[in-house]
Amino acid sequence: MNRLMKQQILADYKEVLSSEAGRRVLGGIFDAAHLNEPIGWPGDERTAGYDAGRRDLALRVANTLREIDPLAPALCDVAWAEMKKTFERSEEDGGDGDDADGTD
């Protein structure tokens, strides 16, 4: 990758990080990829390679974010966690609790 392309990629990531929605999306990706789980978390051995690849991809995104701001991955995790809490509270208060996409 040449220098100009790298600069454009970092500028694009910076734009995504500039919004709460962008941070939530990235936080959701990190959560789905189990980025903050210890390596070798218990799971089905048949999917170990897939799980490692999914985590490696999230790690690549997180490391790119760290080039912009070392705290950026944590900010994304916080944005995601806050959104989850909001909807969990809403469900407890009588929300429909519909989880149509199958995620938790």
Side-chain angles (χ1 to χ4, degrees):
M1 169 180 340
N2 68 40
R3 182 180 58 82
L4 292 176
M5 184 175 176
K6 180 68 174 185
Q7 287 176 339
Q8 182 62 55
I9 289 169
L10 291 176
D12 291 347
Y13 272 73
K14 195 175 214 176
E15 185 173 336
V16 170
L17 282 172
S18 72
S19 76
E20 186 71 17
R23 290 188 296 274
R24 284 193 307 262
V25 167
L26 290 169
I29 291 168
F30 297 157
D31 183 64
H34 302 276
L35 182 64
N36 296 318
E37 300 281 335
I39 295 175
W41 69 88
D44 188 341
E45 297 305 318
R46 295 172 294 176
T47 63
Y50 170 79
D51 293 339
R54 180 177 59 183
R55 185 177 185 283
D56 286 348
L57 179 58
L59 189 57
R60 183 175 181 172
V61 171
N63 286 336
T64 301
L65 293 174
R66 285 183 186 102
E67 290 183 51
I68 297 165
D69 177 355
L71 297 177
L75 296 173
C76 295
D77 288 337
V78 168
W80 176 254
E82 287 176 356
M83 183 182 71
K84 282 180 68 174
K85 278 185 198 173
T86 298
F87 284 95
E88 287 167 358
R89 280 192 302 267
S90 143
E91 187 175 315
E92 290 170 2
D93 293 339
D96 66 4
D98 184 21
D99 193 12
D101 68 354
T103 61
D104 38 5

